Each structure stands twice: as C-alpha cells, then as structure tokens.
C-alpha cells in the first residue's frame, strides 16, 4: 500500500510539473499571438496612425520644423503653408512600413518630397524675384528639409531593431505552431495517462489558471501604474501613437488572459461536477 | 465512501490547490523567464526605463517670462569685494532669480542695427521663434564668462548684417542692465570651435546667426559678432558655504 | 508620530524659505562636483575630458538648486568609480570598449538614475538628448557625438535650425551618462518622499 502511495505522489508531482510547463507554454503562446497580431503585423501601426490624429499633428510638427529652417534660409512662413500633403505623408509612411517589414529598406523615401519642395522653391523664387546664393546652398537647404521630413516620419529605433523584428516575424508563425502543438501533446499525455479524467482536468485547470495570472499581470500593472503615458517622447504625434499602440497591445494581452480565465473556470466546474458524480456513485 | 473521499481529496483541503498552485506557477514562470532572458534584455530594459518620468509630458509651447525691467535708479543688494588691486561692487547672487532653460529673462537691443529681441536662456526652437537665446553651455550677463547668443537671420537677428565695430549692445535683465561694445565681426563655419571660447574667464558677448543674410539657401557658415564688456554690475560668483 | 513630525518640520522649513532668497550661487558641495568633472580621465595615455559646454550647463543648473555635502559626496564617489573603470578598462578611448564594458558604463548611468530621479528624452529629428529634472524643467541638452578617435564632442553648440549632425550610437549616450550624469553633473533634487 505504501509503495502505491509513494507512486501516486510521484505521479502527482510529475503532473504538476507538466501543468507548470503547460502554464509557461500558454503564456508564451499568448505573447506570441499578441506580437503576431500587433508589432509583427505591417498594418498594425498604420491602422493606429489612422485612428489617432497622427498625420494631422505630424503635419503640424513637420511644418513648424520647416518654418524654423526657413528662418535660417530666407524662406517666409507662407512658403510652407501648403507644402505638406497629408495624403502624400500617408503614402510615404505606408511604403516605409511595407519595405521595412519585407526587409528592403528602413528609411522614408524622400523623392517626392524633394520634387515638391523644388517645385515650390522655383515658384517662390519666380514670384518674389529672389537671389540665390548658389546651387550648392539651395541643394543643401533641400537636403536639410528632406532630412527633417524623413526623420520626422520614421519610427525611432525601428532601423536599429530591424534585424530582430524581421527575424522574429519570420519565425513567429512556426513558434505559435510549436507552442500550440506542445500544449496539445501535454494535454493528451495528462488526459490519457490519468485513469481519473476529472484529475486530468484539474491539472489542466492549474495550467490555465497559472497562465491567467502570468499573462494578466502584465496589462494589469501597466494600466494601473499609468506608466505608458509618462514616456518622454519629444514628438506629440509620436507620443499619441505610442500610447495608442501600447494600449492596444496590452488590451489584446488582457483579452488572452480573459480567455484563459474563462477556460479555467469552465474546467474547474467540469472537474467539480465529474468529481461529485464519482463521489455520489 | 470514506475511501472515495481519501482518493478524490478531502473536502476541507480540496479547493486550496486551485489557489496555491496557480500562484506558484505564476512565480515560477517569471523566475524561469528572468533566468533565461535577463542577461540579454536587462540592459535594454533599464536603459528604456530612463525615458519614463513621473508625469505626462507637457507639449505646451508657452514659456515662462521672468524678466522684470530694472529702472535706472533701483538697487539690488550688493557686496564689496577685493578683486586684484581694486574694490568692486558685486550683486549678491542670492538675490538673482537664475533662469531655467527656456525662460525669457531679458531683452537684447542694438539700436544701430535695429535689433530689439526678447532674450531667453537656452537656444531651443521655442526660444528662437520668440526672440534670441543664450546657449545653456555659456553664461548669463554679469556672470563673468562667455555669453553665446543665437538668433535667426530672417527674424530677430536680421539686423546683425548692419553690425559694425563701435556699436553698443544693451542687455536688460531683472538684476541689472549691461552694455557691450562690438569690436569684430567674422564669417566662420558652424563647426569651427575656434569661433568661441566657453572657458573664457572674463565677460564677453558673442552673437551669431546663419549666413548669408537675405538670400535663399542654407550654408554651414555663420555670421559672428564679438563684443567686449563695457558696463553693468557683476554678480558675486564666489563659492558659498555648503550645508 | 516621528514621521508626522518630520513632515511638519519639513513643511515649516519650506514655508520659511519660500519668502527668502533664491537658490542661486554655487556652494562648496556643488563646486566639489564641478571640480571633479573638470579633471581628465587617463585612458592608455590619452586624456579624455568632458566638453566644457557640458560642465558649464552643470554650473548653470547648480545655480538653480542647493546641493548638500552628503549628496555631493555620493555623486563624486560615482564619478570616481566611473573614471576608475574607464582608466582600468584597457581601452584607448570609449569607442574601443568591449560590449560588456559598454554595458557596465551604461550601468553607471543607471545607478545615477536610481539615485537622482532624472528622466531623458531623445528627439530623432534634431538628434538632441534632453535630461529633465523631477519637476519637468530641462536640466541638460546635448547632441553628443563620438568622433573617429573616440572623443566625445557636443555637436550642436552652434545651431542651425532642424539639426545637422550624426549621432554615433548608444555609446556616446552611455559615456555622457557616466561622465556627466553618472558623475552627478546635473544634480536633481530628490523627491519629497525620499527627503521626508
């Protein structure tokens, strides 16, 4: 009898360990799915730009920076009033994300901007009979303006992180399949090696409950602390975008946690009913 | 019945495992993640942490104005000190509201050039849109060091194109009025560090703006105007006793 | 009761000093920090110094606060540790540090972050690094650049509008953070919670 007891205890320990691994896998799966839907999705950031005032505010910021440049280069404020087109800014940004996520380029293409800027300059020079110092100084001005345009539209640190993001994007679908597969395998092992099925459900319930806490604590801490909104980002438009994107990422994570919670509660009740039935029989 | 209870868990202990084990798993998962990823990401995470403050950033373009013009016959508390072989009257530094970055703290006037601009501490975009700015790596008038002032050539410093040796520059602050005499102008490259000396131990004023004036285009040249100190009560910058 | 009394005393002192003079002026504690910042670091025979404009910014900022002797000695201790680390690193200049050494350099900056409650921001358009006091005031601005021979220079002393310089990597920021921030160049008043 004591040998059987010790065997049962060892089995319990093994099942608990399996449940722990399943809990870790559920957590990794939730994070992977969240990343796949958000940061690794080329349309995620662009969709968030559309749902905030990003392009409106960004246009104002770029225009103000260009006006400051104009103060040093003989251009009046009026020159910049109709220079920037939000539709063109959107198109340039869309192309930037498309090329970024396919690994082609990590910078904004300023060809169109330079063309528009040069055309506006030609008209301004003609209308105002302005002297140009040299082609060199005009080219330098256009180059500086294009630099402001591109660095304003590019996402900070994206260029530096491109290798990691692209690598993660390539392996993430595989990782999701592997995590899901491992969870299924462990579930089947727990169920089929356990003669009492309600106990098998108990261990799976432990796993999902643990994962609920592990996954849910992240958005809970972030939202309660309000730390997201306390980031120091110089650009107001980028700040709004960052907050929106971060909120959406953590909401998705919270949603994963809720799904795990519902699963845990469901498994708990099923387990309880099966156990009561056994006790009454 | 009792055998079944033994096998399927006694009721009084039963539910606790549904609370305890998930918490244990939660702690265990984060321990495992910490051991696995801490060496890789800890530097990045703590570096990122430096970019979070305790409050939301203020994006207002308003600035604080601490400039209150000093009338000719007003006096701030002063102290007499021996400097070399002479006795000098110095403003007590405790009676000065030292400007913070971005504050308007004075007015800069060059009558002969038609320059009359609000003077800011710091030469960021907001300052240069609303006046001219003292570089925060230089010093304020009366401090006894280099005062390096920037302004846009299309706006507040457009008049510098008329600068000539002998012209007087007046800087008005809340703690006194200071005059400087222009002695030299020069066109130099922006990255030419010989254009200014931030270690200078005597008061001197350097104003600069983009060059050339009134022409379309941008260059890496700057127009520098150098002026020597003429008058204005200096500030007592001797080291105070610590706490 | 002890804690409450301390808070009451602190409130009284704050009220008492509110109507008196400004904090302008460099006290002996602040001067000690400035002197330490002005001394060079010897890296394999090359003398590295903090750019004058950074030390001047520190002096200007110190004119708006009052540092205690205790705070000053803590900051000087970190500066000395950071300098000693650089001198013993075996590198000719900051650019030659190994990856682990660079991480350690950044760690010095983070120690100071933990002590003096500062925060930073970086503007991609102008390449400017800005450091803020706990009350949100700008305490320091720079466009730190690592030159080819490993010196740190400030690349925005003379402005254009719209920025014109290259920013060479996190190393420049880390080393500025150690030699300047980690050195306590910008001392930021501790939060009331820590002082009470």
């Amino acid at each position: 009898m004591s040998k059987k007891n010790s065997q049962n205890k060892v089995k319990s320990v093994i099942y608990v360990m399996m449940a722990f691994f399943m809990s870790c896998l559920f957590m990794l799966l939730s994070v992977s799915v969240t990343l796949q839907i958000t940061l690794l999705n080329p349309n995620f950031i662009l969709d968030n730009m559309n749902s905030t005032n990003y392009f409106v505010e960004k246009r104002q910021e770029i225009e103000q920076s260009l006006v400051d440049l104009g103060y040093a280069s003989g251009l009046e404020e009026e020159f910049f009033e109709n220079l920037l087109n939000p539709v063109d800014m959107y198109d340039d940004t869309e192309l930037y994300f498309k090329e970024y996520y396919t690994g082609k380029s990590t910078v904004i293409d300023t060809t169109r901007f330079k063309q528009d800027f040069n055309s506006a300059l030609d008209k301004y020079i003609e209308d105002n009979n302005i002297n140009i110092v040299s082609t060199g100084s005009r080219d330098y001005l256009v180059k500086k303006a294009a630099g402001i345009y591109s660095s304003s539209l590019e996402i900070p640190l994206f260029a530096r992180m491109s290798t990691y993001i692209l690598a993660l994007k390539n392996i993430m679908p595989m990782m999701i399949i592997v995590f899901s597969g491992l969870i299924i395998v462990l579930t089947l092992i727990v169920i089929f090696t356990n003669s009492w099925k309600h106990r098998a459900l108990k261990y799976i319930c432990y796993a999902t409950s643990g994962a609920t806490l592990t996954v849910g604590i992240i958005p809970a801490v972030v939202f309660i602390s309000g730390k997201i909104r306390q980031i120091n980002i110089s650009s107001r438009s980028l700040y709004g975008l960052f907050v929106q994107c971060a909120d959406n990422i953590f909401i998705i994570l919270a949603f994963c946690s809720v799904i795990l919670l519902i699963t845990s509660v469901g498994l708990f009740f099923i387990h309880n009913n099966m156990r009561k039935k056994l006790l009454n029989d | 019945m009792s055998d079944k209870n033994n096998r399927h868990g006694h009721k009084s202990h039963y539910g606790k495992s549904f609370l305890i084990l998930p918490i244990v798993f939660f702690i265990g998962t984060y321990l495992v993640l910490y051991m696995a990823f801490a060496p890789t990401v800890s530097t990045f995470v703590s570096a990122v942490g430096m970019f979070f403050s305790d409050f939301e950033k203020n994006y207002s373009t308003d600035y604080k104005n601490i400039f209150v013009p000093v009338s000719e016959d007003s006096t701030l508390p002063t102290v007499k000190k021996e400097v070399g072989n002479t006795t000098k009257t110095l403003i007590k530094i405790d009676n000065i509201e030292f400007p913070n970055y971005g504050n308007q703290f004075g007015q800069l006037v060059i009558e002969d050039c038609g320059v009359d601009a609000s003077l800011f501490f710091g030469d960021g975009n907001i300052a240069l849109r609303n006046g001219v700015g003292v570089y925060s790596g230089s010093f304020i008038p009366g401090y006894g060091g280099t005062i390096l002032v920037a302004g846009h050539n299309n706006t507040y410093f457009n008049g510098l194109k008329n600068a000539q040796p002998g012209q007087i520059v007046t800087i008005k602050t809340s703690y006194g009025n200071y005059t400087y005499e222009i002695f030299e102008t020069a066109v130099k490259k922006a990255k030419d560090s010989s254009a200014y000396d931030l270690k200078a131990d005597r008061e001197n004023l350097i104003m600069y703006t983009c060059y050339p004036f009134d022409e379309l285009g941008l260059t890496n040249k700057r127009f520098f105007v150098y002026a020597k100190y003429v008058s204005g009560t200096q500030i007592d910058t001797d080291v105070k006793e610590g706490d | 009761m002890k804690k409450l009394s301390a808070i009451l005393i602190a409130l009284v002192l704050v009220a008492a000093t509110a109507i008196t003079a400004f904090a302008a002026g460099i006290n002996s504690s602040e001067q000690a920090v400035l002197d330490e910042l002005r001394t060079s670091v010897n890296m394999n025979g090359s003398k590295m110094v903090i750019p004058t404009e950074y030390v001047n910014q520190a002096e200007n900022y110190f004119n708006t606060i009052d540092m205690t002797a205790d705070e000053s000695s803590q900051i000087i201790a970190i500066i000395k540790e950071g300098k000693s680390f650089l001198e013993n690193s075996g590198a000719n200049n900051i650019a030659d540090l190994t990856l682990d050494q660079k991480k350690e350099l950044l760690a010095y900056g983070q120690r100071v972050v933990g002590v003096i409650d500062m925060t930073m921001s970086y503007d991609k358009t102008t390449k400017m690094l800005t450091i803020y006091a706990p009350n949100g005031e700008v305490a320091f601005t720079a466009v730190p650049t690592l030159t080819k021979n490993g010196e740190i220079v400030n690349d925005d002393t003379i402005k254009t509008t719209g920025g014109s310089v290259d920013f060479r990597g996190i190393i420049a920021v880390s080393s500025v953070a150690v030699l300047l921030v980690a050195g306590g160049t910008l001392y930021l008043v501790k939060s009331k919670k820590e002082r009470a």
Side-chain angles (χ1 to χ4, degrees):
Chain A
M1 205 60 176
S2 67
K3 189 180 173 187
K4 199 176 179 187
N5 273 343
S6 63
Q7 274 182 346
N8 283 340
K9 278 185 183 167
V10 168
K11 274 176 91 175
S12 288
V13 168
I14 291 171
Y15 282 129
V16 166
M17 276 176 58
M18 281 190 178
F20 173 69
F21 289 136
M22 278 176 68
S23 175
C24 293
L25 286 168
F26 273 122
M27 193 258 187
L28 289 170
L29 181 65
S30 302
V31 170
S32 302
V33 166
T34 303
L35 284 175
Q36 182 67 12
I37 294 170
T38 58
L39 280 177
L40 302 180
N41 174 3
N43 294 323
F44 172 69
I45 297 178
L46 209 52
D47 290 342
N48 278 292
M49 285 177 175
N50 284 332
S51 62
T52 59
N53 277 332
Y54 179 80
F55 285 108
V56 170
E57 285 177 346
K58 184 55 79 177
R59 183 181 177 276
Q60 287 171 355
E61 284 170 16
I62 298 176
E63 190 175 303
Q64 186 58 71
S65 297
L66 291 175
V67 166
D68 289 337
L69 182 70
Y71 289 148
S73 50
L75 288 169
E76 300 291 333
E77 242 178 270
E78 294 75 38
F79 173 83
F80 298 100
E81 265 170 21
N82 296 313
L83 181 69
L84 294 167
N85 185 341
V87 173
D88 289 340
M89 284 169 60
Y90 178 88
D91 290 341
D92 288 338
T93 308
E94 192 183 33
L95 182 63
Y96 164 67
F97 281 120
K98 202 172 158 185
E99 293 194 333
Y100 182 88
Y101 280 97
T102 52
K104 280 187 191 163
S105 170
T106 58
V107 294
I108 290 276
D109 182 3
T110 57
T111 312
R112 178 174 31 203
F113 175 83
K114 282 180 182 170
Q115 282 169 355
D116 291 346
F117 197 90
N118 272 312
S119 302
L121 266 180
D122 289 335
K123 186 171 185 306
Y124 185 82
I125 290 164
E126 195 185 316
D127 291 348
N128 295 284
N129 287 322
I130 291 187
N131 291 328
I132 312 170
V133 174
S134 69
T135 312
S137 64
R138 173 183 168 146
D139 289 347
Y140 191 54
L141 168 63
V142 174
K143 186 182 159 191
K144 277 280 170 274
I148 290 171
Y149 181 76
S150 64
S151 61
S152 297
L153 285 181
E154 284 161 12
I155 304 295
L157 294 181
F158 247 41
R160 286 184 189 277
M161 285 164 43
S162 63
T163 322
Y164 305 110
I165 289 179
L166 284 173
L168 208 55
K169 183 172 180 289
N170 290 333
I171 63 168
M172 192 54 77
M174 182 60 65
M175 281 169 67
I176 291 172
I177 292 169
V178 165
F179 292 147
S180 306
L182 285 171
I183 289 170
I184 292 169
V185 165
L186 281 171
T187 307
L188 291 173
I189 291 172
V190 167
I191 290 174
F192 288 111
T193 56
N194 215 320
S195 42
W196 301 106
K197 299 304 171 201
H198 69 283
R199 281 186 187 166
L201 290 181
K202 177 178 79 172
Y203 293 116
I204 299 169
C205 183
Y206 290 157
T208 52
S209 305
T212 301
L213 283 177
T214 315
V215 173
I217 198 76
I218 304 169
V221 165
V222 166
F223 285 132
I224 291 169
S225 69
K227 214 58 188 164
I228 292 290
R229 279 156 180 73
Q230 292 170 356
I231 190 167
N232 273 331
I233 294 180
S234 302
S235 161
R236 185 185 198 135
S237 56
L238 205 55
Y239 170 81
L241 177 67
F242 174 82
V243 168
Q244 174 88 351
C245 288
D247 280 350
N248 284 340
I249 290 170
F250 290 113
I251 286 170
I252 292 171
L253 216 49
F255 183 68
C256 293
S257 176
V258 166
I259 292 176
L260 287 164
L261 175 67
I262 293 169
T263 311
S264 306
V265 169
L267 284 170
F268 176 77
F269 280 115
I270 297 171
H271 154 81
N272 231 18
N273 285 341
M274 286 172 75
R275 184 175 156 269
K276 277 180 186 168
K277 214 174 160 186
L278 265 174
L279 286 171
N280 290 337
D281 286 347
Chain B
M1 198 69 167
S2 67
D3 186 42
K4 273 187 182 167
N5 274 336
N6 284 336
R7 272 185 284 144
H8 302 301
H10 195 275
K11 203 173 179 182
S12 65
H13 300 301
Y14 191 68
K16 285 182 189 173
S17 58
F18 283 94
L19 286 173
I20 295 169
L21 276 179
I23 293 171
V24 169
F25 286 177
F26 160 70
I27 295 168
T29 304
Y30 278 109
L31 268 173
V32 167
L33 288 173
Y34 179 78
M35 287 190 297
F37 292 108
T40 316
V41 303
S42 61
T43 312
F44 174 75
V45 166
S46 42
V48 164
M50 291 197 282
F51 289 83
F52 285 84
S53 64
D54 293 332
F55 42 80
E56 290 184 31
K57 190 165 159 53
N58 183 0
Y59 288 98
S60 166
T61 53
D62 295 339
Y63 57 85
K64 189 177 173 189
N65 183 358
I66 63 169
F67 173 48
V68 178
V70 172
S71 62
E72 291 300 326
D73 55 358
S74 75
T75 53
L76 280 175
T78 55
V79 62
K80 286 194 180 341
K81 284 206 171 166
E82 298 289 329
V83 178
N85 293 329
T86 54
T87 305
K88 286 198 170 178
T89 303
L90 305 171
I91 300 171
K92 280 187 170 180
I93 199 163
D94 283 345
N95 291 97
I96 293 173
E97 184 180 358
F98 216 92
N100 280 307
Y101 187 93
N103 294 165
Q104 181 192 345
F105 75 102
Q107 195 79 12
L108 188 149
V109 178
I110 314 175
E111 282 184 13
D112 294 327
C113 294
V115 171
D116 187 349
S118 300
L119 183 65
F120 289 80
F121 187 68
D123 50 5
N125 286 335
I126 296 173
L128 298 191
R129 272 176 224 152
N130 295 285
V132 297
V134 174
Y135 172 52
S136 58
S138 66
F139 299 104
I140 58 173
Y143 202 79
T146 299
I147 311 156
L148 184 62
V149 183
H152 286 306
N153 68 348
N154 220 22
T155 56
Y156 295 96
F157 264 177
N158 185 257
L160 278 192
K161 65 190 175 195
N162 304 315
Q164 298 284 339
Q167 290 170 345
I168 297 295
V169 182
T170 305
I171 295 181
K172 300 174 188 174
T173 71
S174 304
Y175 52 88
N177 298 331
Y178 297 83
T179 57
Y180 306 84
E181 183 185 332
I182 296 173
F183 64 89
E184 186 186 344
T185 65
V187 175
K188 297 187 181 183
K189 286 192 177 167
K191 294 201 180 162
D192 181 1
S193 55
S194 70
Y196 51 90
D197 177 11
L198 296 174
K199 283 187 192 167
D201 57 4
R202 66 169 193 287
E203 182 133 336
N204 68 102
L205 171 66
I206 306 173
M207 298 168 288
Y208 75 91
T209 188
C210 288
Y211 183 83
F213 294 92
D214 300 329
E215 284 174 348
L216 197 145
L218 202 62
T219 70
N220 62 354
K221 293 181 187 163
R222 303 289 176 268
F223 184 75
F224 287 90
V225 177
Y226 300 92
K228 60 185 178 192
Y229 165 79
V230 172
S231 69
T233 311
Q234 293 291 291
I235 301 168
D236 176 20
T237 57
D238 276 355
V239 175
K240 302 188 301 188
E241 286 299 315
D243 291 345
Chain C
M1 270 314 281
K2 234 181 177 175
K3 216 174 179 179
L4 190 58
S5 304
I7 291 168
L8 284 172
I9 289 167
L11 283 172
V12 167
L13 286 174
V14 165
T17 54
I19 54 169
T20 57
F22 303 105
I26 302 293
N27 63 32
S28 54
S29 306
E30 291 157 352
Q31 187 61 49
V33 174
L34 290 172
D35 290 341
E36 186 62 41
L37 288 169
R38 287 188 176 113
T39 58
S40 59
V41 178
N42 199 335
M43 292 180 76
N44 271 359
S46 301
K47 276 196 177 172
M48 312 287 283
V49 290
I50 296 175
T52 307
E53 44 265 54
Y54 292 175
V55 184
N56 289 352
Q57 286 197 53
E59 187 171 344
N60 283 324
Y61 189 73
F62 286 170
N63 270 309
T64 62
I65 57 152
D66 267 326
M67 188 187 295
T68 66
D70 184 46
E71 289 154 350
S72 167
S73 59
Q74 280 184 54
I75 289 165
I76 290 172
I78 297 175
I79 298 175
K80 286 189 187 297
E81 266 191 62
K83 284 183 176 174
S84 175
F85 162 75
L86 286 173
E87 283 170 355
N88 295 325
S89 65
N92 293 325
N93 54 57
I94 287 162
D96 288 347
L97 293 173
T98 65
L99 183 62
D100 284 338
Q101 286 174 328
K102 288 168 191 170
K103 282 184 182 175
E104 206 174 325
L105 196 67
L106 185 60
Y108 279 110
Q110 285 152 11
R111 271 177 62 190
V112 177
V113 169
V115 169
I116 62 176
D117 227 6
M118 67 156 202
T119 55
M120 308 201 304
S121 76
Y122 178 66
D123 187 333
K124 194 174 179 302
T125 313
T126 57
K127 314 279 192 291
M128 183 171 288
L129 175 73
T130 306
I131 297 176
Y132 298 91
N135 61 1
E137 294 281 1
V138 170
F140 173 79
T141 66
V143 181
T145 302
L146 203 59
T147 63
K148 283 182 183 128
N149 60 355
E151 288 174 346
I152 296 169
V153 297
N154 187 49
D155 234 358
D156 86 325
T157 304
I158 299 297
K159 302 285 185 298
T160 52
T161 48
S164 59
V165 298
D166 290 328
F167 174 58
R168 304 225 186 146
I170 200 80
I171 309 303
V173 177
S174 309
S175 49
V176 167
V178 170
L179 293 179
L180 182 64
V181 175
T185 296
L186 302 174
Y187 177 78
L188 303 173
V189 177
K190 283 181 187 175
S191 65
K192 283 180 189 172
K193 202 171 152 185
E194 283 172 290
R195 282 193 182 282

